[in-house]
């Protein structure tokens, strides 16, 4: 009886450990996707600011 309970407890511990690993991996994947999206948005914002600056410089050149 004791051996059966020990085996059952070990199996439950393994299931819980595997589940926790899956949750951790899912969270890491989600955060990595968010980080990549943030980097993309920042890159687009920098490019947009660069283009706006070029346009302003072009207007200033026309006014000179």
């Amino acid at each position: 009886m004791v051996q059966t309970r020990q085996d059952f407890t070990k199996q439950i511990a393994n299931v819980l450990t595997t589940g926790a690993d899956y949750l951790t991996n899912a969270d890491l994947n989600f955060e990595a996707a968010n980080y990549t999206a943030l980097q993309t948005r920042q890159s687009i914002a920098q490019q947009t600011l660069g283009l706006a600056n070029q346009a302003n410089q072009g207007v200033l050149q026309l006014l000179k």
Side-chain angles (χ1 to χ4, degrees):
M1 180 80 145
V2 172
Q3 185 63 39
T4 303
R5 287 186 183 233
Q6 283 179 337
D7 292 342
F8 176 76
T9 302
K10 286 180 186 176
Q11 288 175 350
I12 291 295
N14 288 338
V15 167
L16 292 174
T17 300
T18 302
D21 290 343
Y22 286 149
L23 286 174
T24 302
N25 287 337
D27 289 344
L28 289 176
N29 289 336
F30 179 76
E31 292 304 325
N34 281 340
Y35 181 68
T36 302
L38 175 62
Q39 285 181 318
T40 303
R41 284 193 299 269
Q42 287 176 337
S43 176
I44 291 170
Q46 287 174 343
Q47 290 174 3
T48 302
L49 287 173
L51 290 172
N53 190 32
Q54 286 177 356
N56 286 341
Q57 292 297 323
V59 170
L60 288 174
Q61 290 296 325
L62 290 173
L63 294 176
K64 286 186 179 182

